């Protein structure tokens, strides 16, 4: 029924005008835009869902609009379809909607919604058009634009095969599409757009790595990371909204706070929100929900206000799904756990960009490894330079005689110190008032100068030097906020309390080793070896990097490592000798305790010494059995060398 020669069989016999305007030689018949075609499809009968879709799509393309599948109704208690509807792609939107994909495909406008649709009713297996509306309130595509309509675009298997061959041969996607356009007589005859071509190529690339993208592969990745970190899970992990990653995190890092990247959410929002995203008030409320609220109550109030002011959003599928997982993206619900100030996975994206810059489809593995080593070497050089700058002297201070600022300059790295200094200076532009005091515990309200500043509450224990602020900057960033520092200044605190100095931000951060508690249970010995290896590799790397600055420290490092090498070899030799001696004694005792005493005890093996052997030290073998015991000197091979232990081995002869 889909053949063009049989197309008249599915057109109502009353639609003579439609038949006259139909080009039967064209695979996609062109139907006139005449108002006489308003009932062109009524009572048309086809055999299946595929033919039903093609019937309406052929009509739509001829008129100049794109279609989409709509409501499906079933017979009660079964999965048998009773009715199926297809809509104009602009149908069903009662508010801001995307225009049909013509020259305006990237623009949005507000309208009541296109009503164009067709309904098929299935009776005895046949699909009959029982409702047809041709009411478009938008501009239709001209004949020169119909190749841009989404439902008229298809990348056929034959053309996909050509693209695959060209891409595999190293030809770019751009040139592959240009070749196809030349072959068929222009881009309007290709059957799909350049964007469709790029999407197809990218999809094929993802298929190749679909397995480096499953829950199992991410479980393996996270498990390997956990082992490399000595079993210590991260406090926070930030990813995009991928279900496979979420499943793996829940299994491997059950106590880790999983957050969604705010950058990805912001990037995806326009495609889901339409013209709402261009409304200033909506954007203000939406982005305040993302990262402008400090408490759960404030977030909920802001969200409810957004829903009330834009009532059409209450049934918005994307926003409703986003709200269900609000604990993964709302900063107000995550400011109680450390995240280092990160709100997105852009650091990971930056790393990906670096790798993309040194690799392409044709690069060999050897060249990639060499290029990657160059990148890592550059990173390490920059890191070493930063370390050197941190250690060569104190950074410039905005307030030279400030005790707490001098202390911060001594302990923090230069970059963290600048952040700390900014917080301290911001505290100057705040006003404070004491609101309570009990048992040396003070409560203050701190508010920035200016009418729109938010009021924070700071609690300070003068006895223990504990301080806390409702902004929770220290909990999430590991750095004291301007409000807390303001109270420190008020209370004449001239040194940062130790429990508010996060070790990772200090100049001595690299010297820290993961503490290994003796007696702590580990899954296996390999995990213990991993912890040991990682700890000492970090320490050794830091020592070597710090010693390379001048020849004196270099020589000191060389001498220390050589001495360490000698001492370790000596200790390994001693331990192996002790182990072998213990093994030999156990074997002798086992032989002595055997029940069968009829077997003769042979002479112990003797190793000929170099030089003259003193007869007084070695008894003749014939004397064995006539004396109670005899002693022999034995040698052991250690590392390919003959080693003579200091202690003799005593053998007991039978029958004594």
């Amino acid at each position: 029924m889909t053949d063009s020669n049989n197309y008249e069989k599915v057109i109502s016999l009353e639609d003579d005008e439609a038949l006259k305007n139909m080009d039967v030689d064209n695979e996609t018949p062109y139907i006139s835009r005449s108002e006489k075609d308003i009932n062109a499809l009524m009572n048309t009968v086809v055999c299946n869902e595929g033919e039903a879709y093609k019937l309406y799509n052929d009509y739509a393309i001829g008129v100049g609009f794109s279609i989409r599948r709509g409501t499906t109704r079933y017979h009660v208690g079964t999965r048998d379809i009773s009715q199926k509807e297809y809509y104009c792609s602009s149908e069903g939107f009662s508010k801001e909607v995307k225009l049909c994909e013509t020259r305006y495909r990237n623009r949005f406008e507000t309208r009541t919604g296109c009503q164009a649709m067709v309904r098929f009713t299935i009776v005895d297996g046949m699909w009959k058009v029982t409702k047809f509306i041709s009411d478009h309130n938008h501009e239709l595509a001209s004949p020169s634009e119909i190749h841009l309509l989404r439902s008229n675009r298809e990348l056929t298997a034959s053309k996909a095969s050509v693209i695959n061959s060209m891409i595999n041969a190293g030809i770019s996607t751009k040139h592959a599409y240009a070749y196809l356009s030349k072959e068929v007589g222009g881009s309007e005859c290709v059957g799909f757009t350049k964007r469709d071509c790029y999407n197809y190529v990218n999809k094929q690339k993802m298929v190749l790595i679909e397995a480096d993208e499953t829950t199992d592969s991410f479980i393996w990745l996270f498990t390997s990371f956990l082992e490399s970190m000595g079993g210590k899970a991260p406090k926070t992990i930030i990813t995009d909204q991928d279900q496979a990653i979420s499943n793996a995190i829940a299994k491997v890092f059950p106590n880790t706070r999983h957050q969604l990247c705010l950058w990805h959410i912001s990037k995806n929002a326009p495609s889901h929100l339409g013209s709402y995203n261009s409304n200033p008030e909506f954007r203000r409320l939406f982005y305040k929900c993302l990262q402008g609220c400090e408490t759960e109550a404030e977030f909920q109030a802001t969200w409810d206000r957004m829903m009330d002011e834009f009532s059409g959003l209450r049934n918005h599928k994307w926003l409703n799904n986003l709200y269900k997982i609000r604990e993964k993206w709302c900063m107000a619900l995550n400011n109680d756990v450390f995240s280092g100030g990160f709100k997105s996975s852009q650091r990971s994206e930056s790393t990906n960009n670096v790798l993309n810059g040194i690799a392409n489809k044709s690069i060999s593995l050897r060249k990639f490894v060499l290029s990657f080593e160059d990148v890592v070497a550059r990173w390490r050089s920059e890191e070493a330079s930063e370390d050197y700058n941190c250690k060569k002297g104190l950074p410039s201070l905005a307030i030279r005689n400030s005790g707490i600022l001098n202390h911060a300059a001594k302990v923090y790295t230069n970059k963290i110190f600048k952040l700390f200094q900014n917080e301290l200076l911001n505290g100057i532009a705040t006003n404070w008032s004491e609101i309570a005091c009990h048992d040396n515990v003070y409560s203050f309200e701190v508010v920035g100068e200016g009418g729109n500043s938010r009021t924070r509450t700071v609690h300070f224990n003068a006895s223990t030097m504990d301080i806390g602020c409702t902004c929770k900057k220290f909990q999430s960033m590991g750095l004291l906020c301007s409000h807390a520092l303001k109270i420190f200044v008020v209370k004449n605190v001239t040194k940062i309390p130790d429990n508010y100095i996060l070790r990772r931000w200090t100049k001595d951060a690299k010297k820290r080793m993961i503490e290994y508690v003796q007696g702590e249970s580990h899954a296996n010995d390999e995990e213990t070896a991993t912890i040991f290896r990682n700890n000492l590799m970090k320490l050794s790397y830091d020592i070597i990097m710090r010693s390379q600055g001048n020849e004196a420290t270099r020589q000191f490092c060389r001498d220390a490592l050589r001495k360490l090498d000698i001492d370790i070899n000596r200790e390994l030799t001693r331990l192996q000798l002790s182990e072998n001696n213990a093994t030999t004694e156990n074997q002798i005792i086992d032989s002595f305790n055997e029940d069968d005493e009829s077997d003769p005890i042979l002479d112990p093996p003797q190793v000929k010494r170099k030089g003259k052997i003193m007869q007084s030290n070695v008894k003749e073998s014939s004397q064995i059995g006539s004396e109670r015991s005899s002693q022999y000197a034995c040698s052991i091979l250690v590392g390919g060398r003959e080693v003579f232990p200091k202690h003799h081995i005593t053998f007991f002869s039978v029958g004594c």
Side-chain angles (χ1 to χ4, degrees), residues 28-302:
T28 302
Y30 182 84
I31 299 179
S32 172
R33 298 165 178 265
S34 171
E35 289 299 323
K36 296 180 181 179
D37 295 333
I38 191 168
N39 293 319
L41 302 185
M42 279 299 295
N43 299 319
T44 302
V45 178
V46 293
C47 295
N48 52 51
E49 197 274 341
E51 292 182 3
Y53 179 87
K54 186 179 187 305
L55 173 67
Y56 190 48
N57 190 47
D58 289 346
Y59 169 83
I61 292 169
V63 174
F65 65 95
S66 183
I67 72 168
R68 64 183 178 87
R69 288 176 170 83
T71 304
T72 302
R73 299 180 180 88
Y74 299 90
H75 291 290
V76 178
T78 70
R79 296 298 296 173
D80 297 330
I81 299 176
S82 61
Q83 285 185 336
K84 178 73 176 181
E85 295 177 352
Y86 300 91
Y87 306 141
C88 169
S89 58
S90 296
E91 190 277 339
F93 298 97
S94 59
K95 296 169 288 301
E96 291 79 1
V97 295
K98 189 173 183 180
L99 290 172
C100 283
E101 296 193 357
T102 62
R103 70 186 75 173
Y104 304 108
R105 58 187 178 278
N106 290 324
R107 290 178 53 193
F108 296 84
E109 68 176 24
T110 303
R111 57 170 177 264
T112 58
C114 176
Q115 301 300 314
M117 59 86 69
V118 64
R119 177 186 296 162
F120 288 86
T121 300
I122 295 85
V123 179
D124 296 331
M126 302 303 293
W127 293 55
K128 181 179 181 180
V129 177
T130 56
K131 184 175 182 180
F132 174 68
I133 299 176
S134 181
D135 180 13
H136 299 276
N137 62 348
H138 56 86
E139 184 177 356
L140 298 173
S142 66
S144 63
E145 297 172 330
I146 61 173
H147 67 283
L148 298 174
L149 296 173
R150 180 178 294 276
S151 62
N152 191 33
R153 303 196 319 247
E154 180 184 11
L155 202 161
T156 61
S158 59
K159 293 175 181 176
S161 177
V162 173
I163 293 175
N164 290 336
S165 299
M166 299 181 75
I167 295 299
N168 293 334
I171 299 174
S172 67
T173 305
K174 175 182 177 181
H175 292 141
Y177 182 79
Y179 168 78
L180 287 175
S181 298
K182 285 285 186 181
E183 284 292 305
V184 298
S187 59
E188 65 276 7
C189 301
V190 176
F192 54 91
T193 65
K194 184 185 294 185
R195 174 53 53 193
D196 294 333
C197 186
Y198 275 98
N199 289 340
Y200 171 77
V201 172
N202 290 334
K203 184 178 180 181
Q204 295 303 111
K205 292 178 182 177
M206 295 304 297
V207 169
L208 295 176
I209 61 172
E210 189 174 14
D212 295 348
E213 297 292 333
T214 64
T215 297
D216 289 340
S217 64
F218 282 118
I219 288 177
W220 172 86
L221 175 65
F222 294 150
T223 301
S224 300
F225 171 82
L226 192 62
E227 291 177 354
S228 69
M229 298 302 293
K232 189 172 184 179
K235 293 184 177 180
T236 304
I237 185 169
I238 303 174
T239 72
D240 58 2
Q241 196 170 348
D242 182 88
Q243 191 60 47
I245 295 179
S246 298
N247 295 339
I249 290 174
K251 183 174 180 62
V252 182
F253 303 132
N255 298 319
T256 295
R257 187 71 61 87
H258 179 202
Q259 297 182 21
L260 296 179
C261 172
L262 295 185
W263 181 81
H264 279 97
I265 294 177
S266 300
K267 182 182 178 182
N268 294 331
S271 62
H272 294 283
L273 298 173
S275 60
Y276 281 116
N277 198 60
S278 62
N279 186 302
E281 179 62 14
F282 171 82
R283 286 175 57 86
R284 185 185 72 81
L285 293 173
F286 179 69
Y287 287 99
K288 182 180 180 181
C289 289
L290 285 180
Q291 53 184 328
C293 300
E294 290 187 354
T295 64
E296 183 175 0
E298 183 182 6
F299 162 77
Q300 192 60 52
T302 305

Side-chain angles (χ1 to χ4, degrees), residues 321-546:
N321 290 335
L322 198 65
Y323 180 78
K324 292 177 182 178
I325 56 173
R326 57 191 178 279
E327 70 282 351
K328 289 189 176 183
W329 53 264
C330 176
M331 297 305 296
L333 305 180
N334 288 285
N335 57 12
D336 60 331
V337 63
F338 179 79
S339 63
F342 286 99
K343 300 177 182 178
S344 73
S345 58
Q346 283 182 303
R347 182 169 185 175
S348 174
E349 300 293 338
S350 299
T351 303
N352 290 339
N353 288 335
V354 170
L355 297 179
N356 289 336
I358 66 174
N360 55 52
K361 302 171 188 175
S362 60
I363 192 172
S364 66
L365 182 60
R366 181 184 64 84
K367 289 184 178 180
F368 173 78
V369 172
L370 293 176
S371 300
F372 180 71
E373 288 180 344
D374 290 339
V375 171
V376 174
R378 185 178 73 250
W379 287 344
R380 288 175 175 168
S381 177
E382 293 172 354
E383 184 179 5
S385 178
E386 287 290 334
D387 289 343
Y388 175 75
N389 291 333
C390 287
K391 295 169 185 176
K392 71 177 182 180
L394 298 181
S396 59
L397 307 181
I399 307 175
R400 181 172 299 180
N401 296 324
S402 170
I404 197 168
L405 204 57
N406 272 279
H407 183 217
K410 292 178 181 178
V411 297
Y412 287 134
T413 63
N414 290 350
K415 288 186 177 180
I416 298 299
F417 169 75
K418 290 179 181 179
L419 296 177
F420 181 90
Q421 182 170 253
N422 287 338
E423 290 293 332
L424 185 69
L425 295 177
N426 288 336
I428 296 176
T430 59
N431 298 317
W432 64 274
S433 61
E434 184 178 322
I435 57 177
C437 179
H438 180 70
D439 292 339
N440 223 19
V441 177
Y442 299 85
S443 295
F444 300 88
E445 281 189 350
V446 181
V447 59
E449 297 178 358
N452 296 325
S453 298
R454 189 192 301 262
T455 300
R456 270 85 172 193
T457 302
V458 179
H459 302 284
F460 174 65
N461 190 323
S463 300
T464 63
M465 303 300 291
D466 288 335
I467 196 168
C469 179
T470 52
C471 76
K472 295 185 179 180
K473 185 180 184 69
F474 181 79
Q475 287 88 333
S476 62
M477 178 63 184
L479 203 63
L480 288 170
C481 61
S482 59
H483 323 105
L485 292 175
K486 176 74 171 185
I487 302 305
F488 273 170
V489 173
V490 170
K491 288 299 182 179
N492 298 320
V493 178
T494 59
K495 184 178 180 181
I496 307 172
D498 291 341
N499 55 325
Y500 293 105
I501 300 177
L502 203 63
R503 187 69 179 271
R504 69 166 62 238
W505 302 143
T506 66
K507 297 177 181 179
D508 295 332
K510 284 187 176 180
K511 294 180 181 179
R512 182 182 63 171
M513 296 174 61
I514 301 175
E515 296 182 358
Y516 174 68
V517 182
Q518 294 293 338
E520 181 182 356
S521 61
H522 293 280
N524 48 55
D525 292 339
E526 183 62 28
E527 183 178 359
T528 303
T530 301
I531 298 173
F532 169 80
R533 181 171 62 252
N534 290 344
N535 286 342
L536 289 191
M537 285 178 66
K538 294 175 185 176
L539 179 61
S540 302
Y541 174 79
D542 183 53
I543 292 174
I544 294 172
M545 293 300 294
R546 284 188 290 125

Side-chain angles (χ1 to χ4, degrees), residues 15-35:
D15 299 322
D16 295 335
E17 190 66 29
L19 291 175
K20 293 178 182 178
N21 293 324
M22 183 174 64
D23 181 6
V24 296
D25 294 328
N26 194 316
E27 183 179 356
T28 302
Y30 182 84
I31 299 179
S32 172
R33 298 165 178 265
S34 171
E35 289 299 323

